Amino acid sequence: MLQIMEGSHAVAEAAKLCRPEVVSAYPITPQTHIVERLADFVADGELDAEYICVESELSALSVCLGSSATGSRVYSATSSQGLMLMAEVVFNVAGMRQPIVMSIANRALGAPLSIWNDQQDSISLRDAGWFHLYGEDVQEMTDQHFIAYKAAEQHDVLLPGFVCFDGFILSHTYEPVDIPTQEEIDAFLPPYVPYNKLDAKAPLSMGMYATPDYYMEFRYETDAALQRAGDAISAAGKEFGEMFGRDYSTHTESYRMDDADVAFVALGSICGTVKDAIDEMRADGIKAGLVKIRTLRPFPAEEIAKALAGVPTVAVLEKNISLGSAMKGAVGPEVKDAVTGTGIDVYSYIVGLGGRDIRKKDIRGIAALAEKGKGNMFYGLRTEVL
Amino acid sequence: MALRIGCAAEPGRARDNKTGSWRVFMPVVDLEKCILCGNCILLCPETAVSENDGQILFDLDFCKGCGVCARECPAEAISMIQEEK
């Protein structure tokens, strides 16, 4: 049933429907409304979970890791500096193969301090071993939570996942959203069956010390599991589509890519603006298209290469910056690598950092620059303050 | 020892983790000089040194090449030789 709902509340509803047994999170803008709402659910008896209050994000994810190790389904949410404070545990969760799902309301990183949106926080942790899903609108980011748990808990995956969505732009926006019923989600997402769990009757240690003779093989296995997570996300997305009519069987979504001369690649809420800009550009005879990335990890290189085949110029819109790198963005080099040898020109454009608006005319401006071969740059700088 | 998902392990022994791969220098004993005092056996941090029938033996699965045996040998019978691996 469609309901008008704030993005954060829709995420909280989704998390509740997944029946987590432990929730531990620390409030941080712009994620706060999610855990506030979950605290309400627990207090009101709507969610039968342990809601564990902690004094920091480091503790929040540590509690989640310990709880997951006991065989519980676990949920958390954070943003920005909170994710950075969790970073040590983020890597350990993946190495210990605990299928925690965590919502990331994307927000810029300091300094300078900013509460506004970009995707620097989650993208900075793209190498941690978690899978990354990015939602374009409230419906998509809500649905991705169900898919994330389903994929994470497969025994050939057993990896944690981020469900990322743009802070404020999506977390605080009211949109019509279809929230499934508990019965429907129970049919889609079975109870979690742990592979390993802490049990006093069968003692086990997790996250053990590995000498140089073993460490590399553990990392190899985690990478192999993350590659398999791609198939699990697709399979869960396909099954979700069959049950609910919203298909997520692909890691990317192509918009008006037939005969495109310039293709945008982007993640998250910016894709809505890009689609509108493309419609206007097409009306003016400019053949533009979009490849939206839903799954950033594992990186869907083959799918992206197929989607971009035959397009001469690609502009990657980056709400992040890999400071000091040649292309400036973090996603651009991976897109470029995916199309190596095809002659396609790939450029990164740093846009919308720290919450700066990205308008349709900016999208047009970027297309014009890309077609001239100018890229790997900030777009929309206020040169008067430099 | 096969890897177990999640870096998990049941109670076991430290000896499951062989430390020989850490070694750069290998101890070699000169039995002409050795007085069989047993210092090397007593002091080896990996208990990788043993004696059998007058022979000092180094368990190279565990010897880390730390050189404590050579340093503490009162007869200076042990040399640390760079190992070609």
Side-chain angles (χ1 to χ4, degrees):
Chain A
M1 187 183 73
L2 278 177
Q3 302 169 61
I4 303 285
M5 196 178 280
E6 187 191 290
S8 294
H9 294 164
V11 168
E13 292 281 348
K16 180 184 79 172
L17 290 171
C18 292
R19 296 188 186 272
E21 292 150 293
V22 175
V23 176
S24 186
Y26 191 82
I28 182 170
T29 301
Q31 163 273 130
T32 306
H33 294 185
I34 301 169
V35 292
E36 277 179 351
R37 183 54 62 101
L38 281 166
D40 286 343
F41 289 149
V42 173
D44 296 344
E46 288 182 52
L47 172 61
D48 182 17
E50 291 291 325
Y51 189 98
I52 301 175
C53 293
V54 286
E55 86 301 335
S56 76
E57 285 86 357
L58 179 71
S59 298
L61 195 57
S62 299
V63 163
C64 288
L65 176 53
S67 304
S68 184
T70 67
S72 301
R73 183 175 287 161
V74 176
Y75 174 80
S76 190
T78 192
S79 291
S80 183
Q81 312 299 130
L83 184 60
M84 292 301 105
L85 190 56
M86 285 180 175
E88 188 212 9
V89 192
V90 166
F91 281 79
N92 275 308
V93 171
M96 287 168 65
R97 307 287 297 277
Q98 297 302 322
I100 295 169
V101 171
M102 183 157 66
S103 305
I104 310 290
N106 286 117
R107 171 187 144 186
L109 290 177
L113 182 64
S114 170
I115 60 163
W116 288 274
N117 159 252
D118 63 36
Q119 294 165 339
Q120 190 71 55
D121 47 5
S122 56
I123 283 184
S124 293
L125 286 178
R126 66 193 182 281
D127 300 338
W130 294 50
F131 61 81
H132 283 227
L133 306 180
Y134 286 79
E136 180 187 348
D137 54 27
V138 173
Q139 186 67 68
E140 187 166 65
M141 75 203 210
T142 303
D143 293 344
Q144 281 171 330
H145 286 79
F146 309 122
I147 290 161
Y149 273 112
K150 179 103 175 180
E153 292 173 359
Q154 301 299 318
H155 278 197
D156 63 342
V157 176
L158 289 170
L159 280 175
F162 290 142
V163 180
C164 308
F165 43 91
D166 291 313
F168 291 118
I169 298 168
L170 292 174
S171 65
H172 287 56
T173 292
Y174 279 74
E175 281 186 355
V177 55
D178 177 30
I179 303 288
T181 65
Q182 187 66 67
E183 293 71 28
E184 286 170 328
I185 292 304
D186 288 347
F188 174 75
L189 181 66
Y192 172 42
V193 179
Y195 180 85
N196 289 325
K197 68 171 185 176
L198 297 179
D199 180 352
K201 293 191 180 70
L204 192 71
S205 297
M206 292 188 200
M208 293 302 293
Y209 187 107
T211 61
D213 286 345
Y214 293 103
Y215 184 87
M216 267 180 77
E217 286 72 18
F218 274 116
R219 301 300 278 164
Y220 169 84
E221 287 205 338
T222 304
D223 179 65
L226 191 48
Q227 299 298 341
R228 290 193 296 270
D231 294 335
I233 292 162
S234 281
K238 184 169 185 283
E239 189 185 336
F240 189 88
E242 287 163 359
M243 286 179 74
F244 299 98
R246 296 185 292 275
D247 181 75
Y248 298 103
S249 59
T250 55
H251 299 300
T252 61
E253 180 194 307
S254 293
Y255 183 75
R256 302 194 77 168
M257 281 297 294
D258 297 336
D259 78 342
D261 291 329
V262 58
F264 296 99
V265 174
L267 306 97
S269 64
I270 189 179
C271 294
T273 307
V274 175
K275 286 172 182 175
D276 283 352
I278 286 169
D279 291 346
E280 291 181 10
M281 289 160 79
R282 288 266 178 181
D284 294 341
I286 303 164
K287 293 180 180 171
L290 165 72
V291 176
K292 175 177 89 177
I293 298 177
R294 266 200 294 255
T295 309
L296 185 70
R297 282 286 179 277
F299 191 74
E302 280 179 27
E303 207 176 297
I304 286 171
K306 202 170 161 187
L308 294 175
V311 179
T313 309
V314 174
V316 184
L317 305 174
E318 309 255 21
K319 281 191 177 181
N320 70 81
I321 177 159
S322 180
L323 292 165
S325 69
M327 279 185 77
K328 298 211 177 342
V331 182
E334 298 198 56
V335 174
K336 193 169 182 173
D337 179 60
V339 298
T340 294
T342 59
I344 298 173
D345 292 322
V346 180
Y347 305 106
S348 277
Y349 298 88
I350 310 302
V351 292
L353 296 188
R356 182 158 304 177
D357 274 342
I358 303 156
R359 299 153 303 179
K360 285 184 287 189
K361 66 177 183 182
D362 297 327
I363 307 300
R364 277 177 171 258
I366 287 168
L369 280 175
E371 293 202 300
K372 287 184 198 146
K374 287 183 73 177
N376 303 339
M377 59 194 280
F378 281 76
Y379 186 87
L381 284 179
R382 295 178 58 226
T383 48
E384 68 273 21
V385 300
L386 291 173
Chain B
M1 184 174 68
L3 303 189
R4 181 161 170 172
I5 283 178
C7 322
E10 287 164 7
R13 306 178 309 153
R15 307 250 335 149
D16 290 338
N17 285 300
K18 294 180 176 176
T19 44
S21 64
W22 307 11
R23 191 175 55 252
V24 178
F25 291 90
M26 181 174 74
V28 176
V29 63
D30 180 349
L31 293 172
E32 297 289 310
K33 290 185 182 175
C34 173
I35 56 171
L36 290 174
C37 68
N39 260 10
C40 52
I41 298 168
L42 189 67
L43 296 170
C44 173
E46 290 294 332
T47 62
V49 191
S50 58
E51 181 268 334
N52 183 23
D53 198 22
Q55 302 278 317
I56 296 296
L57 304 170
F58 297 99
D59 185 344
L60 296 181
D61 279 346
F62 292 95
C63 167
K64 294 188 289 196
C66 69
V68 165
C69 53
R71 181 176 286 264
E72 298 300 331
C73 177
E76 296 183 358
I78 300 174
S79 311
M80 298 302 293
I81 308 295
Q82 186 155 2
E83 197 176 1
E84 294 296 330
K85 287 191 182 177

